[in-house]
Amino acid sequence: MSSQTQNPIMRDIALFAALGVLVLVIFVSQGAVYSVRMLVEAGCYGIIALGLTIQWGYAGLFNVGIMGFIAAGAASSMLMTFPRNPDFWNSGGPELAGLFIVKLIACALALWLANNSNRWGVGPRLRALLITIAIAVSYLVLSFHMTVMSEEIEKASGWMGGLGLPVFFGWIIAGVIAGIIAWFVGKICLGLRSDYLAIATLGIAQIIKHFLKNADWLTNGTLTVSPMPWPVPSPADGEFLFARAAYLSVVAVALLITYLLLQRAYHSPWGRMMRAIRDNEEAAGAMGKNVNRRRLEIFILGCVLMGIGGAMLIHFTSIYDPSGFLDLNHTFLIWVMVILGGSGNNRGAIFGAIFVYIVWVMSEPLAVMLFDAIATYGNQWLGWEAPSDFLSRALQMRVFVIGLTITLVLRLAPQGLLPERQARH
Amino acid sequence: MNDLVFFLNKGITSGLIIGSIYALGAIGLTLIFGILRFAHFAHGDLMTLGAFVTLILAAALAALGVTLPLPLAFVVMFPAMAITAVLAIGLDKMFYKPLRQAGARPVVLVMASVGVTLMLQGVIRLFAGVRSRDMFVEAPKEIYRIPIPGATRKLVVTEPQILLMLFTIVAVIALHFFLTRARLGKAMRAVSDNPDLARITGINTEHVVWATWIIGGSLACAAGTMLSMDVTLKPDLSFNILLPIFAATIVGGIGQPYGAIAGGFLVGFCETLAVFNWSIVLRPFKDELWFDLPSNMSLVPTEYKLMVPFLILIIVLIYRPTGIFKGRVL
């Protein structure tokens, strides 16, 4: 143990070798088709976990709204890449949607003007009044237009449908949209203490999910959209395993590029400055670093990665279902990956993502088996009648285990399996 | 007149009810935020836990054949509050205190509380499932229909609603006297204002931490019980209730119990009035209005109710991060 901690490179190699053996065992025991699917999903989670590890590990920002950024990325990528809906384009829908965008821009401009009116010599009271009026008027205008628009579109064509653009373009847009949302949240919360960011991201995630579930006109709501287009030949066109393997290579390349770029950023002056801000905010501020601006940068960068990773994940599952975005799977699981793997260490995040995802997937049949056994033997030996929803409670056991893992890791091994290695210059 | 009674029933009563529940939750949250200096994410599930303790006690008493003039759930709420307070202290001892003593950053405590909330969720749903339950184990709740002169529609109030309002008033007055008169209450305020100075003057911080968890835990139990008595006990409430309570805490100013009460009612009223269908109130004047009255004229559709506390939170964070009662931005 002590030699391992003294030689971190050996530790990396040992842990990744163990992970490779684990993957090999799954390949042999579960078959290639299943294992490749698991690896693709683990790779997508790896990209999302890298996004989180730069927020938490590099800058100490606490984001509990990962699900929201994943959902936003997936929805915007779906809108970009799904085939066009001809009913929508032949109806009055595009005109209404265009008008909505124009109104949105006008309202944003009005709000910006009201907010900056103090520059042109408007007093604080008048400014507050102007802002209130601007918020109220834009809310009324936009919500009224949205009600009309959603009714019209749902009547004429069901929903808007996509734009039919290439999938890679959709993934880039997914990152852009997630980044824009992150800019809003970060701009508001990053100047304040860290707890506020947690509360605000939790809220925005719930709201994005609610919106996507209810916006039937935009994303088909809970009726789900499928099949999502793939950037490589999809299984419908040819062989199942080949298609999945091709997708896996795309994900692996994306993961590798992200990792190399982040690794470079970590060792650059920018990364050093980030760690300085994380470790001592006052000192960094006194050195003339713009703390809030740097935090905003890294928050947006992390959320962009989450959006892209989320889009890749949902494209792979080939069904877009807004009720499928869960706090547990898409926020807290990723937290476990990052803190267990070692926050602030990119290799740790990737290791954690793959390892935790394998355990997570494998634990599902195990938990169901365990609960089934309890129900059967409880009935046979003790005459105990299991409740009808007993098997569905196996999921709750996993909620408990996730929570327990978070608290135990924080207390016993706050550095994770692959601790951050502080470079000494 | 009928329309006014409808407004009283749907707007004012439910605003008061949900406002007092938010206020009870937010008082605990603001005290924990002010004294222990972290956002306690497990507060929503502490409310659910408290409600479940009440339900178990009430079901046990009902099985023994006990009948009382008041609903059983309300009576056993008081021992349940004590049990929840003990559980809250236990959670602190197991999960938060070791981190505090190790000198962890506040954000690590926030993360630990997220872990605790998941554990509580898991345990509650593991043993109780996810279906809603009725808190009135022995008899259906009583509903009073009060006739109003000049209106055919009656004013509707249920028994748990009256009990909730009475309880909130008593709890707030008791809390006021505790914080301003009792030695421990003054010590709590001192620690909240300046922990180092408080320690130097010889205040036992350990006792203050206990008192914080006792007040926070018991009020969370009361809020959870009342909420589930008013509607039903839903085990999967957690994050949906957490956001309005956080909004109430921050609007009121962190570490300000009176602010939390005001914030709770503000958020509660904004929520109910935003989803209230205003066209019913405007119907008597429909001839004088310059526009056609739509059938549904609520400011926010019901499915986006959660947006109201979030928008309040955002606006407060942008324009007045200290809250209306001038709390701290730590």
Side-chain angles (χ1 to χ4, degrees), chain A residues 188-253:
Chain A
I188 293 164
C189 300
L190 285 176
L192 304 163
R193 67 172 277 174
S194 45
D195 308 37
Y196 289 169
L197 183 71
I199 298 166
T201 47
L202 182 82
I204 196 106
Q206 307 299 328
I207 283 169
I208 290 174
K209 186 182 165 181
H210 269 275
F211 175 72
L212 293 178
K213 261 172 92 171
N214 290 304
D216 289 2
W217 56 277
L218 183 68
T219 61
N220 217 8
T222 43
L223 296 173
T224 73
V225 179
S226 68
M228 297 276 275
W230 278 25
V232 292
S234 72
D237 305 337
E239 213 186 330
F240 217 55
L241 181 61
F242 173 74
R244 283 186 175 177
Y247 203 106
L248 177 62
S249 53
V250 173
V251 171
V253 168

Side-chain angles (χ1 to χ4, degrees), chain A residues 122-400:
Chain A
V122 175
R125 286 193 172 214
L126 189 59
R127 174 169 170 260
L129 187 71
L130 282 177
I131 291 170
T132 318
I133 292 173
I135 291 176
V137 170
S138 12
Y139 178 76
L140 286 178
V141 168
L142 292 178
S143 69
F144 182 69
H145 189 98
M146 206 150 107
T147 320
V148 173
M149 179 168 67
S150 61
E151 272 171 17
E152 282 295 315
I153 291 177
E154 273 166 41
K155 209 174 356 168
S157 56
W159 68 297
M160 276 173 69
L163 292 174
L165 295 169
V167 173
F168 287 113
F169 183 74
W171 290 355
I172 293 169
I173 295 296
V176 171
I177 297 287
I180 291 172
I181 296 171
W183 181 81
F184 272 108
V185 177
K187 195 84 182 150
I188 293 164
C189 300
L190 285 176
L192 304 163
R193 67 172 277 174
S194 45
D195 308 37
Y196 289 169
L197 183 71
I199 298 166
T201 47
L202 182 82
I204 196 106
Q206 307 299 328
I207 283 169
I208 290 174
K209 186 182 165 181
H210 269 275
F211 175 72
L212 293 178
K213 261 172 92 171
N214 290 304
D216 289 2
W217 56 277
L218 183 68
T219 61
N220 217 8
T222 43
L223 296 173
T224 73
V225 179
S226 68
M228 297 276 275
W230 278 25
V232 292
S234 72
D237 305 337
E239 213 186 330
F240 217 55
L241 181 61
F242 173 74
R244 283 186 175 177
Y247 203 106
L248 177 62
S249 53
V250 173
V251 171
V253 168
L255 186 63
L256 191 69
I257 293 175
T258 316
Y259 167 73
L260 289 176
L261 288 176
L262 288 182
Q263 204 63 11
R264 199 167 156 71
Y266 182 85
H267 291 292
S268 71
W270 182 82
R272 216 158 47 229
M273 176 171 61
M274 278 304 167
R275 276 169 282 145
I277 290 172
R278 174 194 65 188
D279 293 338
N280 194 336
E281 195 183 317
E282 282 89 6
M287 300 287 283
K289 311 296 179 201
N290 190 342
V291 175
N292 289 337
R293 189 160 177 83
R294 295 286 95 74
R295 279 189 176 154
L296 188 60
E297 270 173 22
I298 205 151
F299 185 66
I300 292 174
L301 186 62
C303 289
V304 166
L305 286 178
M306 287 169 194
I308 295 176
M312 294 170 92
L313 188 67
I314 302 303
H315 272 275
F316 179 70
T317 55
S318 89
I319 177 163
Y320 164 83
D321 175 13
S323 13
F325 298 112
L326 301 173
D327 278 314
L328 188 68
N329 295 19
H330 295 109
T331 298
F332 299 119
L333 189 62
I334 296 161
W335 266 105
V336 172
M337 291 168 178
V338 167
I339 58 175
L340 191 74
S343 52
N345 183 335
N346 296 328
R347 277 191 294 283
I350 294 174
F351 174 83
I354 296 172
F355 176 70
V356 170
Y357 193 70
I358 289 174
V359 173
W360 175 253
V361 172
M362 289 291 137
S363 72
E364 188 172 0
L366 275 182
V368 170
M369 229 155 69
L370 177 73
F371 272 66
D372 204 32
I374 293 176
T376 320
Y377 289 113
N379 198 4
Q380 275 175 9
W381 294 349
L382 306 168
W384 173 67
E385 196 61 48
S388 54
D389 61 343
F390 194 61
L391 280 185
S392 74
R393 293 188 193 177
L395 172 72
Q396 307 306 334
M397 189 70 211
R398 301 163 89 203
V399 179
F400 176 78

Side-chain angles (χ1 to χ4, degrees), chain A residues 139 193 195-196 335 411, chain B residues 37 39 94 111 254 299 330:
Chain A
Y139 178 76
R193 67 172 277 174
D195 308 37
Y196 289 169
W335 266 105
R411 190 160 150 196
Chain B
R37 315 213 159 232
M94 267 199 290
M111 204 197 270
I254 285 170
L299 282 172
L330 297 160

